[in-house]
Amino acid sequence: MLAWLKHYLFGYLSIEMTGFSPERFLNMCSVHEIELWKVVNCGHSYQLFMTVQGFRKVKPLVRKSKVRLRIIKKFGLPFFLYRNKKRKLYAAGFISFFLILYSLSLFIWDIEFDGNRMYTYDTLIKFCESEEIRYGMKKSKIDCDVLEEAFRTKFPEITWVSARVSGTRLLVKIKENEVLSEIPAKDETPCDIIADKGGVITSMIVRNGVPMAAIGDTVEEGQILVSGTLPIIDDSETVINTHFVRSDADITARTEYHFTRQMPLFRKIDVETGKVRKGYYMKAFRFSFMLIRPRPEGTSWKRTMEEEQLHLFQNFYLPIYFGKITGEEYISYERPYTEEEKKLLSEDINERYKKNLIEKGVQILENHVKILDNESLCQVAVDFVVEESLGRREALKIQRSEEPEETNHSNERN
């Protein structure tokens, strides 16, 4: 590659050699370190390539070996410029190309994050935009040290950040802390535990507070299960004071879930016809150009697009995107669901509800699915009998009564 570039920059020639002793000429060129390549024996002559500098040195060697050299064709940048010296637009376009390329190299056209697991790409991009870091901005305006400090301040879970500009890309490498940065403060606010839904209590372990229900009791939503109000009673069973605590308990109950979802009576079917339309498009800055055959009237097509950003080197990205478009024609029609399809759809709905409950830590005891079908409506009824944690904390409303302070004035006489 480097040899070809050197030959092109300084120019080279395609030579035809005839004469008395061509082998002697080739040997003398080797001794005098004159570069020859692609030497081909054509029977009555030889064809080879030679640099311009080497061609100027071979005159003595030509006379000694009694050969004749004829230039077939000239290659390289010097001959190209000479042939087009009167074509000013060529020169202007050539210079403009490199000027535009240099101008584009002064801006950021790609931002990449590496090491982010807790935070998504969109979240980090929006934060960069809030810090005035965005696509198309000048590289000279980016202060990597300030950006790193901003990341650490905004996201406490990020323990290490490295930002650098390479080519036309901003590369940000981060490391997230997998351990909590600080232990949350323990909440000691007095509260009750109330039922967040109705059910039958199956287990109850109270660590703090006064239990207001027992195992086997049927409770309703909003009912107090554990009270945070502790009365202090004297020997005569008179309440002399009240102490408020933060209730703490593990309570499980047998509860029920009922879901109903309506199903369409007809199913839409898309059938591909086999006809395909292919095309290409290009985006540059805010402009786009699409080249694809027009869609015939009265037809429906599914279109997929594959896009790739243009880059000259690994980190030299440009604001130019090329894409490939593929369109597939399809025909749509509707037909009623079959009994088998209704069963499969109801099972899919049931599995989705079941998955959501299991993710919440609910233990499923019973599961029933019914399809309620008539001429105008089709519904899927899903019933679950589960065992789950019951109760949520509710802060106590403590009423404080202000008593007037009593002052005793005594006159002591000695």
Side-chain angles (χ1 to χ4, degrees), residues 385-398:
V385 178
V386 304
E387 191 174 60
E388 61 177 331
S389 297
L390 188 70
R392 60 180 174 84
R393 287 186 172 91
E394 186 176 87
L396 287 173
K397 297 179 180 179
I398 303 174

Side-chain angles (χ1 to χ4, degrees), residues 117-259:
R117 296 182 180 178
M118 187 179 302
Y119 301 102
T120 63
Y121 181 85
D122 293 337
T123 301
L124 299 178
I125 280 291
K126 289 180 180 179
F127 172 72
C128 289
E129 291 177 354
S130 66
E131 296 292 323
E132 303 298 327
I133 305 293
R134 55 175 55 89
Y135 294 101
M137 70 174 300
K138 284 188 175 181
K139 297 191 296 185
S140 58
K141 293 184 178 180
I142 298 178
D143 192 332
C144 293
D145 295 335
V146 174
L147 181 61
E148 292 172 1
E149 183 64 27
F151 267 106
R152 288 191 293 266
T153 304
K154 178 65 176 180
F155 305 103
E157 291 79 6
I158 296 179
T159 58
W160 178 82
V161 187
S162 174
R164 66 185 180 93
V165 176
S166 179
T168 58
R169 306 178 72 191
L170 174 61
L171 306 176
V172 181
K173 294 184 178 181
I174 65 178
K175 185 176 181 181
E176 299 171 349
N177 189 10
E178 298 179 356
V179 184
L180 291 176
S181 57
E182 58 180 11
I183 300 175
K186 188 176 181 180
D187 191 358
E188 298 292 345
T189 305
C191 65
D192 294 332
I193 296 179
I194 65 173
D196 49 6
K197 65 179 305 182
V200 179
I201 297 178
T202 58
S203 174
M204 189 172 185
I205 301 175
V206 180
R207 286 184 288 271
N208 204 11
V210 180
M212 307 298 290
I215 296 175
D217 290 352
T218 300
V219 296
E220 298 179 354
E221 183 179 356
Q223 180 178 338
I224 298 177
L225 304 178
V226 180
S227 175
T229 304
L230 300 180
I232 300 175
I233 304 174
D234 59 7
D235 295 338
S236 61
E237 297 184 356
T238 303
V239 178
I240 60 175
N241 200 354
T242 302
H243 186 54
F244 300 99
V245 298
R246 182 175 180 83
S247 299
D248 186 17
D250 292 333
I251 305 172
T252 59
R254 184 186 179 97
T255 61
E256 297 181 358
Y257 285 89
H258 305 282
F259 303 101

